[in-house]
Amino acid sequence: MPTPISVRSYFPIFLILLYISCSSKSDTDQAILSATEATLTSSSLSIKNSSTAILMSMRERAADPISKGVAERLLPKMESISKYSAELISYIENLKKEGKLGIKESNELYDSIAGFKTHILNIDSSILKEFQRSMVLVTNGFDSGENGKDKFYSTFFKNASDAGSLTMLSNIQTNVSMAENKVLAYCHSRMTYHKPVF
């Protein structure tokens, strides 16, 4: 069975870099943020490849008469998760092309992230139970606290440099990819089918 990709958490490092972007615009700081942005983009691609492999495995099981029943029940839910993830990542990619976010764009992004989380968690009651407290789409501290749109904008975009805003958006894209990957792997793990060996 394909396994979810394991990516080490770099939120503390990211927040330090975001602070640097707000307090200084030296060439060194910008180079560090650019390198972090490249790493986040690369990580998102690796995670997406893992998610694609998990979906392919489930499609194969849906075509197998032995595992067809369970797989056909889970596959539409998994494809819906993948679809919503791709849409949110594409939306954020368009924001990155537009440059630094204003409060209007930040609020709309916040609503899109919240809507994505609500949709994914409500696809299945077992997903809600498993991921309600552990799904991180912004940062650990922000997701777990009582934070709203105003804090989202003021914390991550209000005083950030263009490079800092870009890196934050890439961080959210990576988190969305990770959330998708973990939920897909969880759905796949609910399969109890094993091919007989002769």
Side-chain angles (χ1 to χ4, degrees), residues 19-58:
Y19 172 77
I20 290 170
S21 78
C22 296
S23 61
S24 173
K25 293 182 172 62
S26 73
D27 291 341
T28 302
D29 295 337
Q30 296 304 307
I32 292 170
L33 285 168
S34 294
T36 304
E37 154 71 15
T39 300
L40 290 167
T41 301
S42 177
S43 296
S44 288
L45 181 59
S46 296
I47 297 164
K48 187 62 184 175
N49 289 339
S50 171
S51 295
T52 299
I54 294 170
L55 272 175
M56 286 178 62
S57 174
M58 186 60 81

Side-chain angles (χ1 to χ4, degrees), residues 11-164:
F11 295 126
I13 296 171
F14 170 75
L15 290 176
I16 291 169
L17 293 173
L18 188 63
Y19 172 77
I20 290 170
S21 78
C22 296
S23 61
S24 173
K25 293 182 172 62
S26 73
D27 291 341
T28 302
D29 295 337
Q30 296 304 307
I32 292 170
L33 285 168
S34 294
T36 304
E37 154 71 15
T39 300
L40 290 167
T41 301
S42 177
S43 296
S44 288
L45 181 59
S46 296
I47 297 164
K48 187 62 184 175
N49 289 339
S50 171
S51 295
T52 299
I54 294 170
L55 272 175
M56 286 178 62
S57 174
M58 186 60 81
R59 287 178 183 131
E60 288 173 1
R61 292 190 172 200
D64 188 323
I66 299 174
S67 56
K68 185 176 181 179
V70 178
E72 283 189 337
R73 191 180 78 249
L74 293 171
L75 184 57
K77 296 178 181 182
M78 295 171 69
E79 289 177 333
S80 179
I81 291 164
S82 186
K83 174 179 176 285
Y84 273 83
S85 174
E87 288 174 354
L88 180 54
I89 289 169
S90 177
Y91 170 68
I92 296 171
E93 194 63 34
N94 288 331
L95 289 178
K96 288 164 71 174
K97 292 174 184 175
E98 293 173 9
K100 189 173 179 179
L101 269 68
I103 191 164
K104 177 179 178 289
E105 294 81 9
S106 175
N107 287 347
E108 289 172 352
L109 174 59
Y110 181 92
D111 288 338
S112 296
I113 294 168
F116 170 81
K117 186 171 186 176
T118 298
H119 175 81
I120 299 305
L121 292 177
N122 289 324
I123 282 179
D124 188 276
S125 59
S126 67
I127 292 173
L128 178 65
K129 183 178 179 181
E130 184 74 16
F131 294 99
Q132 186 172 20
R133 296 184 180 181
S134 63
M135 186 178 288
V136 174
L137 298 176
V138 182
T139 66
N140 281 313
F142 190 87
D143 284 10
S144 61
E146 293 297 323
N147 300 295
K149 292 181 188 179
D150 292 339
K151 287 187 178 180
F152 181 64
Y153 174 68
S154 62
T155 302
F156 300 110
F157 299 108
K158 185 177 181 180
N159 297 313
S161 66
D162 290 347

